[in-house]
Amino acid sequence: MGKKYIYFFGNGKGEGSAEMRALLGGKGANLAEMSNLGLPVPSGFTISTEVCKFYYENNQKYPHRLSAELDKNLARLEKTLGAGLGDTTHPLLVSVRSGAAASMPGMMDTVLNLGLNEETLLALINKTGNERFAWDAYRRFICMFGDVVMGIHRDKFEHEVERAKKKARIKNDTDLTVKHLQDLVKKFKDICKKDTGEDFVDDPRAQLQKAINAVFSSWNNPRAIKYRELYNIQGLLGTAVNVQVMVFGNMGNHSATGVCFTRNPSTGENALYGEFLINAQGEDVVAGIRTPEPIRNLRKGMPHLYEEILRYKDILERHYRDMQDIEFTIQEDKLYMLQTRNGKRTAEASLRIATDLVKEGLIDKKMAVMRIDPQQLDQLLHPIFDPKAKKVVIATGLPASPGAATGKVVFSAEEAEELAARKEKVILVRKETSPEDVAGMHAAQGILTSRGGMTSHAAVVARGMGRCCVVGAGDVDVDYKAQRFSVNSKVIKRGDYISLDGTVGEVMRGQVSTIEPKLSSDFATLMNWADEFRKLEIRTNADTPQDAAKARMFGAQGIGLCRTEHMFFGEHRIDFVRQMILLAPEVKGLKVRIEALEDELRKAPKEKRPELKGEIAKLKKSLECPNTLYEKALHKLLPMQRSDFEKIFRTMKGLPVTIRLLDPPLHEFLPHEEQSQRGMAKKMGMTLKDVKLAVARLQELNPMLGHRGCRLGITYQDIYDMQVRAVIEAACNVKKKGIEIHPEIMIPLVCTAAEFGLLKDSINKLARTIMKKKGTRVKYAVGTMIELPRAALMADKIAEQAEFFSFGTNDLTQMTFGFSRDDVANFLPDYIEKGILEKDPFQSLDQNGVGQLIEIGVKKGRTTRPDLKIGICGEHGGDPESIEFCHRIGMNYVSCSPYRVPIARLTAARANIHGGEISSTV
């Protein structure tokens, strides 16, 4: 028997199961599973994802046996239903839907009511006795088939519907009469002929094959590709195709269609949540064409069916052990289940659902930790609108996705992407969104729609993305042509600022101030569980006591990177920093010249010594003024740095604090615009010309490879000495107050063991002197950043003296690829689009190249010093995939920005669980 490509489901039995997602896609696997559970699932069959893979690998051709297998399963479906595709007495109508292993809502294509033509239409009228329903189904089919299969933009069909309603002076599609629908069918067919030059396809079997082709082709449509890119969906075979007998929610007032969640997807409350429409098809709910009713209203009109939905809700939640997103149709008082899948939810809801399911005994703590997407936590950690702020509410809608967003109004997804790429914050305003808008929705701070409900496309996608969203704001009249929207007499134009509150559904004029969010007890519970399971320590990158306090609140176990240069940019400091920088080369030059002459003097004959002494005296006289100013600048900066470190030590008491000595090139501290240079010249008593010359002297052709990092400390040892003195004095002062401290001094940009050794000796000598004077001993460590490929390769030699390594992955990525981080935007998007690189290596660690260097550095470093403490402190420290890599190669910690600390804690736990090193806690 050959390979099986098609799997049947229905009548209480499915040939597949939920475990076959990779082969049947999520929809097909769950249809089979619901069939096996005995739920009322309309019969059908699933064409596997292997066929999609074959289709793309073989120039859009199918496996040889597929046609016969399709005929066999179609015949089985016809026999099961007692109807036939194209039969003029008992016509079989089917839906053709996509379904990949990973949920991609709305990204691929669907065709409903397939099998209708003029003959089967008459048979459907005779069978149902409902002429209006049959014509409505036919016009919907032509519209969907024309759009999905024939490539005609849906707006052309919708335009005719709107014209018909306007002419008849009616508001809703349900008010269209049989005559209206007949006229629309004729106009729809005319559109198909005009746009394609071909008549609409009447043969039902040909309709089916073309629809299957279209669904497979939709796997690689632009919006599906973009969605997979946004959500990092990789490694799938393709989409499956589900062919399923149609059930109709548009057969009258005893029919309905709806979408519901077994728990509230915004808050996580354990209560049925969703919407339905009487006398409608499923596309009406999702597309937001009509504003649906809340699911609780079904209890009034169809109480027995509402109770049946509640029963299936409990069955599905207990079976899948997760919140479910359910689609259903009621056809003439009979309930059918069309889909179930794990429901998309906000971060707040994810935490509550996970912790509640543990309390209910459905999952254990380990599974709860694995259920939370670390990136989703970002939604909880950022500011919300200040309740005391002045707000001018101009409209209200449904609170589809919580959060606060402020930005400039744009009316197209393309403009949202364009402005967001320029770092501008935007709000995307649409009548309703469609899958084509997904990239713009991702780029926007928030989404506002005038139509749609809580399960519309905009609502579902925004919740999944963590974007603030308000939908169904009916008073908002969007005018795309004029690029504005109006609410009563108020007009908001493109580029105007508005603010959205997705938690309560408010639309506000202008920008509204925000406050920090309060985290729920569910957040704390989940984080505590994560801490039980992880091995990696999580530190933070913090340069101020405020950042340190925020990170500690989020659970940071120390500071992995305190950048001393960031402290130099304070309003009252930068002048002293600039004075120090401008004078350092001059002082250094004079000192070097004096040392050379003094050395020459020792060896010089007697007669030449007076001349040398005179020259030395002149140079020393010349040195007096700049040296005094130089030392004054250092003297002024010392207490400032010391105070900074004391505050940070107090904030992080009992936890390690890694302080990186000055790293960037000195020219970064100097002004480059003439106006600023004039101000600097005036403050320092210099001429503008002298300032310009000094700035030019410090400029380098390639500053990232130039005079920076430890090279500064070797050239200008006074600067590093000042910083070391500030660290050690601060540590002594804080220790005297009974506060436990663990300072770690980090030397940046080391590439040789000799560099490190020279600077470490200087640090230790100075530290001993200070501690002796203070009468206090402080235990400290001296380590280095590994951010150059040579340092990784020579890690065993460097580790002979270094007490810890911290991989600076930003620079290591830059040096390994030969990419300038500041200029990479000019070409990197092309590299990713063309498949040269999968991801931006500055956002997610290149594990094959840069990662290989890191592994070499870890292994070689620990061959010399087995207890060597190792971490990373670049931006990758907050990226989940990079954190997993750090766990896998045995690092001790990762360090990230304060707001990424919870994400790192959760990711570290998931990495350990995924490695199979933790047993179940239930």
Side-chain angles (χ1 to χ4, degrees):
M1 191 174 174
K3 181 185 280 287
K4 184 177 177 67
Y5 289 115
I6 301 180
Y7 295 77
F8 198 85
F9 58 83
N11 275 353
K13 181 170 175 52
E15 293 179 342
S17 69
E19 284 72 40
M20 298 171 68
R21 292 179 65 87
L23 186 66
L24 303 182
K27 190 187 296 286
N30 287 332
L31 286 168
E33 190 77 5
M34 285 198 295
S35 296
N36 293 330
L37 289 171
L39 272 61
V41 176
S43 297
F45 53 84
T46 301
I47 306 172
S48 76
T49 57
E50 289 182 334
V51 176
C52 187
K53 183 172 183 287
F54 187 99
Y55 179 79
Y56 280 102
E57 289 177 349
N58 292 274
N59 198 26
Q60 300 189 344
K61 291 184 173 58
Y62 293 109
H64 178 68
R65 295 184 57 259
L66 184 67
S67 180
E69 202 172 341
L70 180 60
D71 290 341
K72 179 183 173 183
N73 279 274
L74 181 58
R76 182 177 174 183
L77 184 61
E78 290 174 328
K79 184 177 179 181
T80 300
L81 274 295
L85 191 67
D87 190 283
T88 55
T89 306
H90 299 291
L92 172 67
L93 302 185
V94 296
S95 63
V96 182
R97 301 174 187 261
S98 61
S103 177
M104 296 171 57
M107 295 304 109
M108 293 175 290
D109 289 329
T110 293
V111 178
L112 304 179
N113 308 335
L114 188 143
L116 279 171
N117 56 29
E118 292 185 4
E119 293 177 340
T120 56
L121 172 69
L122 293 175
L124 186 63
I125 293 169
N126 292 332
K127 184 179 178 182
T128 63
N130 190 334
E131 188 176 9
R132 190 202 174 281
F133 150 71
W135 280 100
D136 186 46
Y138 196 23
R139 68 98 183 175
R140 289 172 183 269
F141 168 57
I142 297 170
C143 174
M144 295 188 85
F145 193 91
D147 174 22
V148 170
V149 178
M150 302 176 77
I152 303 166
H153 203 286
R154 190 184 185 91
D155 284 353
K156 293 189 177 183
F157 300 108
E158 293 296 340
H159 177 68
E160 291 299 333
V161 174
E162 292 302 316
R163 278 182 61 183
K165 289 195 293 186
K166 190 173 182 179
K167 186 177 179 181
R169 296 183 180 178
I170 57 177
K171 184 177 181 181
N172 297 318
D173 292 8
T174 50
D175 297 324
L176 292 166
T177 64
V178 170
K179 179 67 170 66
H180 294 141
L181 295 169
Q182 288 172 337
D183 289 343
L184 284 173
V185 164
K186 183 178 184 307
K187 286 174 180 172
F188 283 9
K189 286 189 174 183
D190 289 344
I191 289 171
C192 293
K193 177 76 172 178
K194 183 180 178 182
D195 269 51
T196 67
E198 298 177 4
D199 291 327
F200 188 78
V201 180
D202 277 336
D203 177 11
R205 189 63 175 79
Q207 292 172 356
L208 178 60
Q209 189 58 62
K210 285 178 178 291
I212 291 170
N213 296 349
V215 173
F216 277 134
S217 294
S218 72
W219 171 250
N220 274 341
N221 69 35
R223 64 179 185 263
I225 292 170
K226 186 68 176 179
Y227 190 90
R228 293 196 293 273
E229 178 186 315
L230 291 175
Y231 287 95
N232 194 25
I233 297 171
Q234 299 177 15
L236 303 186
L237 297 176
T239 183
V241 175
N242 299 285
V243 178
Q244 189 175 21
V245 64
M246 283 295 305
V247 287
F248 297 96
N250 60 331
M251 291 187 73
N253 290 334
H254 293 284
S255 300
T257 188
V259 176
C260 61
F261 296 83
T262 56
R263 301 185 189 224
N264 188 309
S266 289
T267 67
E269 180 189 1
N270 187 2
L272 188 67
Y273 175 98
E275 297 168 323
F276 73 101
L277 280 171
I278 296 289
N279 194 20
Q281 285 198 313
E283 60 172 325
D284 298 340
V285 179
V286 175
I289 293 168
R290 287 164 53 194
T291 300
E293 297 182 57
I295 193 72
R296 63 178 177 273
N297 289 0
L298 190 64
R299 191 198 301 246
K300 301 171 187 173
M302 304 177 183
H304 60 295
L305 294 174
Y306 181 80
E307 292 301 321
E308 194 174 348
I309 289 172
L310 286 180
R311 190 166 75 252
Y312 295 151
K313 160 194 176 296
D314 291 339
I315 290 170
L316 289 169
E317 267 211 350
R318 284 197 301 271
H319 183 74
Y320 285 99
R321 298 191 294 167
D322 201 356
M323 184 263 273
Q324 294 297 293
D325 171 359
I326 299 166
E327 291 180 19
F328 66 88
T329 286
I330 297 168
Q331 178 177 305
E332 296 183 316
D333 281 329
K334 181 170 174 56
L335 175 66
Y336 293 93
M337 305 295 283
L338 302 184
Q339 175 169 287
T340 190
R341 60 187 173 194
N342 292 341
K344 292 191 179 296
R345 63 208 77 175
T346 64
E348 179 187 352
S350 290
L351 293 169
R352 180 169 176 181
I353 290 168
T355 54
D356 282 353
L357 289 175
V358 172
K359 293 172 191 172
E360 293 163 26
L362 289 176
I363 62 174
D364 59 20
K365 291 190 285 185
K366 179 176 73 173
M367 187 175 286
V369 168
M370 294 301 286
R371 285 274 173 88
I372 308 299
D373 177 1
Q375 296 282 29
Q376 204 180 20
L377 293 181
D378 220 18
Q379 297 175 31
L380 300 173
L381 306 176
H382 294 285
I384 58 175
F385 287 133
D386 184 350
K388 297 176 184 175
K390 185 180 178 182
K391 297 189 295 185
V392 180
V393 178
I394 58 173
T396 57
L398 299 172
S401 185
T406 294
K408 292 180 178 178
V409 167
V410 297
F411 293 94
S412 72
E414 292 77 15
E415 187 175 15
E417 286 189 89
E418 181 183 336
L419 293 183
R422 300 205 301 259
K423 307 298 182 189
E424 294 191 47
K425 294 182 177 181
V426 299
I427 303 291
L428 178 62
V429 179
R430 304 285 292 165
K431 291 178 182 177
E432 69 257 348
T433 63
S434 69
E436 282 80 6
D437 295 321
V438 67
M441 294 172 73
H442 188 266
Q445 301 295 307
I447 300 107
L448 169 64
T449 71
S450 58
R451 301 177 188 165
M454 297 292 279
T455 51
S456 64
H457 176 270
V460 172
V461 173
R463 277 197 295 270
M465 289 179 170
R467 293 293 180 273
C468 169
C469 182
V470 176
V471 301
D475 290 338
V476 172
D477 184 11
V478 178
D479 186 336
Y480 292 139
K481 189 174 182 181
Q483 291 285 283
R484 68 185 187 186
F485 74 81
S486 57
V487 183
N488 301 321
S489 59
K490 303 176 188 71
V491 175
I492 307 295
K493 299 175 183 175
R494 171 177 165 270
D496 289 347
Y497 276 97
I498 63 169
S499 299
L500 302 181
D501 190 330
T503 305
V504 296
E506 290 179 341
V507 183
M508 291 154 278
R509 192 168 207 155
Q511 301 180 72
V512 180
S513 60
T514 59
I515 58 171
E516 294 298 312
K518 291 182 180 177
L519 298 173
S520 69
S521 59
D522 296 319
F523 176 86
T525 299
L526 203 286
M527 287 293 101
N528 287 336
W529 291 346
D531 291 342
E532 289 178 26
F533 298 136
R534 66 181 168 85
K535 286 185 174 181
L536 274 175
E537 287 184 14
I538 309 301
R539 298 194 190 182
T540 189
N541 302 338
D543 314 318
T544 67
Q546 294 78 18
D547 283 349
K550 175 65 66 180
R552 187 152 195 178
M553 186 189 83
F554 286 145
Q557 295 168 284
I559 292 179
L561 176 62
C562 177
R563 291 159 287 213
T564 53
E565 63 270 9
H566 286 191
M567 300 168 175
F568 285 169
F569 284 100
E571 186 180 349
H572 302 297
R573 306 178 184 204
I574 192 63
D575 291 341
F576 296 116
V577 173
R578 287 171 173 169
Q579 184 174 313
M580 173 187 77
I581 290 168
L582 289 175
L583 293 169
E586 183 182 352
V587 169
K588 172 73 176 176
L590 287 167
K591 284 183 176 179
V592 167
R593 180 66 181 142
I594 289 168
E595 285 175 10
L597 288 173
E598 286 176 339
D599 187 51
E600 189 179 339
L601 179 65
R602 283 190 291 272
K603 302 172 187 174
K606 207 170 189 180
E607 62 274 13
K608 198 173 180 184
R609 286 181 181 178
E611 181 187 341
L612 288 171
K613 284 179 180 179
E615 197 172 340
I616 290 169
K618 282 181 185 177
L619 288 173
K620 284 185 175 180
K621 185 72 176 172
S622 299
L623 178 62
E624 280 178 12
C625 182
N627 193 52
T628 300
L629 292 172
Y630 177 60
E631 289 181 352
K632 182 181 176 183
L634 290 171
H635 183 70
K636 287 284 187 181
L637 289 170
L638 173 62
M640 294 175 180
Q641 288 247 285
R642 183 173 58 227
S643 175
D644 291 333
F645 298 141
E646 286 178 3
K647 290 172 185 174
I648 287 173
F649 287 148
R650 284 198 295 268
T651 303
M652 301 304 291
K653 65 179 178 182
L655 298 176
V657 176
T658 305
I659 297 166
R660 182 180 72 186
L661 301 179
L662 189 64
D663 181 42
L666 294 181
H667 75 86
E668 288 192 6
F669 298 96
L670 300 178
H672 295 274
E673 295 177 3
E674 186 169 306
Q675 186 177 350
S676 299
Q677 289 176 345
R678 284 183 187 278
M680 178 177 160
K682 187 176 179 182
K683 283 181 181 178
M684 296 192 174
M686 301 172 67
T687 66
L688 177 62
K689 182 180 178 182
D690 286 341
V691 169
K692 286 188 172 184
L693 284 171
V695 171
R697 188 169 61 244
L698 288 170
Q699 287 285 7
E700 295 177 288
L701 292 175
N702 195 336
M704 294 310 293
L705 298 176
H707 197 185
R708 54 170 288 222
C710 67
R711 300 158 197 170
L712 289 172
I714 290 168
T715 306
Y716 306 123
Q717 188 177 329
D718 294 335
I719 297 176
Y720 268 25
D721 283 352
M722 180 272 291
Q723 292 194 300
V724 171
R725 180 177 292 279
V727 172
I728 301 300
E729 287 182 356
C732 291
N733 293 345
V734 171
K735 186 179 179 183
K736 282 182 176 180
K737 293 178 181 176
I739 297 171
E740 183 186 352
I741 40 94
H742 300 281
E744 298 175 347
I745 298 171
M746 185 157 68
I747 301 170
L749 212 73
V750 162
C751 68
T752 72
E755 284 173 320
F756 182 84
L758 181 70
L759 288 169
K760 184 183 178 184
D761 288 346
S762 174
I763 290 168
N764 287 340
K765 182 179 178 182
L766 182 57
R768 285 193 296 269
T769 301
I770 294 166
M771 288 189 286
K772 185 176 180 181
K773 184 178 178 182
K774 289 277 187 182
T776 303
R777 291 202 60 79
V778 171
K779 187 176 181 182
Y780 66 94
V782 182
T784 187
M785 288 186 82
I786 304 292
E787 46 196 329
L788 298 172
R790 190 181 193 279
L793 296 172
M794 301 298 293
D796 51 341
K797 299 297 182 185
I798 295 170
E800 289 174 1
Q801 299 183 74
E803 295 166 87
F804 66 87
F805 283 173
S806 180
F807 282 88
T809 51
N810 297 343
D811 271 339
L812 188 57
T813 297
Q814 197 166 217
M815 305 293 186
T816 304
F817 274 95
F819 289 170
S820 165
R821 191 174 33 172
D822 298 323
D823 302 312
V824 75
N826 295 328
F827 60 88
L828 190 58
D830 292 329
Y831 271 52
I832 293 169
E833 183 183 332
K834 293 175 180 177
I836 298 169
L837 292 174
E838 282 187 12
K839 299 173 187 171
D840 181 343
F842 292 103
Q843 292 182 6
S844 190
L845 189 70
D846 163 42
Q847 297 183 21
N848 294 327
V850 179
Q852 192 175 159
L853 279 171
I854 293 172
E855 285 194 77
I856 290 169
V858 170
K859 287 175 184 174
K860 295 192 82 170
R862 284 184 175 153
T863 57
T864 301
R865 192 184 289 262
D867 61 347
L868 185 68
K869 184 162 58 176
I870 301 177
I872 69 166
C873 60
E875 288 300 310
H876 300 102
D879 169 62
E881 287 188 21
S882 306
I883 293 168
E884 288 174 10
F885 171 81
C886 295
H887 166 83
R888 195 166 63 247
I889 66 169
M891 284 193 184
N892 300 95
Y893 70 88
V894 298
S895 188
C896 56
S897 68
Y899 284 101
R900 303 292 289 181
V901 167
I903 294 169
R905 288 167 67 191
L906 181 58
T907 302
R910 286 163 56 95
N912 201 22
I913 293 169
H914 186 69
E917 296 167 332
I918 297 177
S919 60
S920 172
T921 57
V922 168

